[in-house]
Amino acid sequence: MASQQDLIAEYEKTGTLSALPLGHFIDGAFSQPSHNRTMESFDPGKGAAFAGFTAGTAEDVDAAVGSSRKAFETVWRDMAPVERARILLKTSELIRENLDLLAVVESLDSGKPLQEARGDVGGAARTFEYYAGACDKLQGDSFPLAGDYIGYSVHEPVGVTAHIIPWNFPISTAARGFAPALAAGCTVVAKPAEQTPFTALLLAKLLSDAGLPDGVCNVVTGTGVETGAPLTQHTGVDHITFTGSVQTGKAVMKAAADDITRVVLELGGKSPVVVLADCDKEQAISGIMGAIYENAGQICSAGSRLVIEKSIHEEFVAELVKRTAALKIGHGLNQPELGPVNSAEHLEKIAGFVERAKGRGAKVAVGGNVTTDPATGKGWFFEPTIVDAVPARDELAQEEIFGPVLTVQVADDADHALELANDCQYGLVAGIYTSNFAKAHQLARKIDAGQIYINEYFAGGIEVPFGGNKKSGFGREKGIEGLKSYCKTKSIAAKIS
């Protein structure tokens, strides 16, 4: 098995990797598509194509859904939960054994720094480990009825599940959907983002190697129009898990409505980080740097709004600016502090937000420009950026930029900070930094978001349910709540006298 160093050396020598899969993964094997067409996948750190992959069609989607339907009805649904658990646990082990390959591929495909990609792969392994332990503990309830009656409930798998995987966290998002769906007894058909197809394909192969029956997990690659839409519209799909933009999420909901298909939507975010004057300032500054600059800010739950009390605003932002200006950017495989953004199209979108803000007279405290890798002059990079003292209704405070751009909003006090935090169409997560735990938990109750972090941004793990309110979507992933998303609850009552 090639080491991380060997894989990087191969890429530097050849411009690609020999271990990359080609074809869809259907019925337990990589298969030829219905039409022999390919697309290019790009290395964002160089702004150049490094591999080709299969461009699927509605025919391929239909084959994958049919395969998953057959596997659900004949094999997976009725397999003993402990047997499903053993397969998921073996998958976790195989992910760890293949960490170097998966991390290098993830870094190349998405652009993220290699150390972040390694963390994502480790998290995927932990996700399968967690849900392996849940397979045989998914139990119903009994109901207190009169003496002549018995009542109880059981959780049944919903059926064939479709997973639309985003480009910012390909293996993480795939794992947090695949693992609970499989643990519940569902089968999976996945469509990874066209920008980042490879780790979902490799994950499906590892599941097969771990003993997953053929057809239980199928992956079809291609564009959103030619494969994503046919998958979400397919009458053979019983549930859709979608992570992506609000606009596309609306289209998924409309498609699901035709057949009353269940959906879980994890959409956009404009998450506030509330910093009160009594906080541990070093803790807060370090937390905010990670909250906005991890994965170049391309995280739905990024802490993209700093809501800070006026009394510490000036000194606090000055230190943030100093640290931001010192960040080292570069190609993901070189393990920089800040990597590229995922595509030329997305880079243009981020730049548009900042240029419009400049036109409105915004105070750009640091950054604010398109740039390249200093070592090569290549790639799709945007300088880490802080825009200070942004009005509450400004576009920068209201719209998801999805890049390394921190918007600063100044609050008079804690009550004003709460008002600013909730003054947004999104409600995915929020952060709170304060040394007053009573005040922290009061704010946590009142901030409208699906998850609250106190004194550590991105706290928690696979055990903690995740999902949004308002236009950030609905339904929950991760934790036992994520497992229940793939279940139907059936109640049974009987007269026994």
Side-chain angles (χ1 to χ4, degrees):
M1 189 179 301
S3 69
Q4 176 177 295
Q5 291 75 18
D6 291 338
L7 291 162
I8 294 173
E10 179 190 359
Y11 178 67
E12 290 175 346
K13 181 178 180 180
T14 67
T16 190
L17 293 174
S18 58
L20 294 174
L22 182 64
H24 307 305
F25 194 86
I26 300 176
D27 269 336
F30 290 107
S31 63
Q32 288 296 111
S34 59
H35 300 278
N36 193 24
R37 300 183 305 161
T38 60
M39 302 172 62
E40 290 181 319
S41 190
F42 289 81
D43 171 0
K46 292 183 177 180
F50 76 97
F53 65 96
T54 298
T57 66
E59 293 175 61
D60 300 317
V61 169
D62 193 55
V65 173
S67 168
S68 281
R69 173 60 60 189
K70 180 181 178 182
F72 174 71
E73 294 177 351
T74 62
V75 181
W76 193 244
R77 173 178 58 189
D78 297 322
M79 181 178 285
V82 67
E83 295 301 324
R84 294 202 296 264
R86 288 170 180 149
I87 292 170
L88 297 191
L89 190 59
K90 180 61 177 178
T91 301
S92 175
E93 295 170 0
L94 290 177
I95 291 171
R96 290 192 172 97
E97 290 175 14
N98 288 272
L99 191 150
D100 285 351
L101 172 62
L102 291 166
V104 170
V105 172
E106 191 84 332
S107 179
L108 277 177
D109 223 6
S110 69
K112 67 177 58 186
L114 183 57
Q115 68 274 21
E116 294 181 17
R118 291 183 68 87
D120 292 351
V121 176
R126 170 63 185 136
T127 297
F128 278 93
E129 181 181 60
Y130 176 83
Y131 284 109
C135 289
D136 57 359
K137 301 167 187 68
L138 183 61
Q139 57 196 37
D141 295 310
S142 62
F143 310 125
L145 303 179
D148 289 342
Y149 296 87
I150 186 172
Y152 62 96
S153 65
V154 293
H155 296 299
E156 298 179 341
V158 68
V160 177
T161 63
H163 300 251
I164 308 297
I165 303 167
W167 50 258
N168 60 329
F169 281 89
I171 195 167
S172 296
T173 310
R176 81 181 188 199
F178 290 12
L182 296 172
C186 298
T187 54
V188 167
V189 181
K191 207 295 283 186
E194 59 203 74
Q195 297 89 345
T196 53
F198 293 117
T199 48
L201 290 166
L202 292 170
L203 181 57
K205 178 63 166 63
L206 291 180
L207 278 159
S208 180
D209 292 344
L212 193 74
D214 295 350
V216 175
C217 180
N218 296 313
V219 177
V220 179
T221 59
T223 67
V225 172
E226 293 191 302
T227 54
L231 179 57
T232 58
Q233 295 166 5
H234 202 288
T235 57
V237 166
D238 301 301
H239 169 100
I240 302 167
T241 292
F242 172 83
T243 302
S245 70
V246 173
Q247 182 178 357
T248 308
K250 289 179 180 179
V252 169
M253 280 189 71
K254 291 175 181 177
D258 287 340
D259 289 298
I260 320 297
T261 303
R262 296 157 50 122
V263 293
V264 168
L265 300 178
E266 199 264 276
L267 307 178
K270 192 69 181 178
S271 300
V273 186
V274 175
V275 175
L276 301 184
D278 61 1
C279 71
D280 179 320
K281 293 182 179 60
E282 177 58 35
Q283 186 181 55
I285 289 169
S286 297
I288 290 162
M289 292 291 290
I292 187 58
Y293 297 130
E294 182 179 330
N295 198 26
Q298 299 166 119
I299 307 177
C300 297
S301 55
S304 55
R305 287 192 293 144
L306 168 59
V307 180
I308 185 166
E309 276 199 274
K310 184 186 300 182
S311 62
I312 62 168
H313 160 247
E314 187 173 339
E315 175 189 359
F316 194 95
V317 171
E319 181 61 26
L320 273 179
V321 167
K322 177 183 175 182
R323 297 191 192 190
T324 296
L327 289 175
K328 305 299 183 184
I329 69 173
H331 192 283
L333 294 182
N334 294 326
Q335 303 192 51
E337 294 172 294
L338 187 83
V341 300
N342 184 256
S343 67
E345 179 185 24
H346 190 56
L347 179 61
E348 183 179 358
K349 177 185 174 183
I350 295 167
F353 272 107
V354 177
E355 289 305 312
R356 289 192 298 274
K358 290 177 181 178
R360 295 190 298 273
K363 181 183 177 183
V364 178
V366 65
N369 301 296
V370 171
T371 187
T372 57
D373 181 350
T376 64
K378 298 177 181 179
W380 300 314
F381 292 82
F382 197 84
E383 294 175 344
T385 299
I386 297 175
V387 186
D388 200 7
V390 175
R393 305 309 300 170
D394 189 86
E395 179 185 48
L396 288 189
Q398 294 294 323
E399 299 295 333
E400 185 177 42
I401 300 169
F402 217 62
V405 180
L406 179 66
T407 297
V408 180
Q409 296 177 268
V410 183
D412 296 330
D413 52 28
D415 289 338
H416 187 208
L418 173 63
E419 179 185 333
L420 291 172
N422 280 335
D423 185 15
C424 183
Q425 63 183 324
Y426 297 107
L428 188 52
V429 308
I432 301 167
Y433 284 88
T434 175
S435 60
N436 186 324
F437 271 80
K439 190 179 295 182
H441 288 285
Q442 288 166 3
L443 284 169
R445 282 186 174 186
K446 295 176 181 178
I447 292 175
D448 190 359
Q451 187 169 349
I452 307 292
Y453 305 123
I454 297 175
N455 289 337
E456 182 185 320
Y457 208 83
F458 297 133
I462 188 60
E463 302 87 353
V464 181
F466 178 80
N469 301 339
K470 298 191 280 189
K471 287 190 178 178
S472 291
F474 54 84
R476 293 295 180 264
E477 298 182 88
K478 301 169 60 174
I480 297 302
E481 289 297 314
L483 184 62
K484 291 179 180 178
S485 294
Y486 296 98
C487 296
K488 301 179 290 187
T489 299
K490 177 181 287 182
S491 298
I492 300 166
K495 187 172 183 178
I496 58 174
S497 62

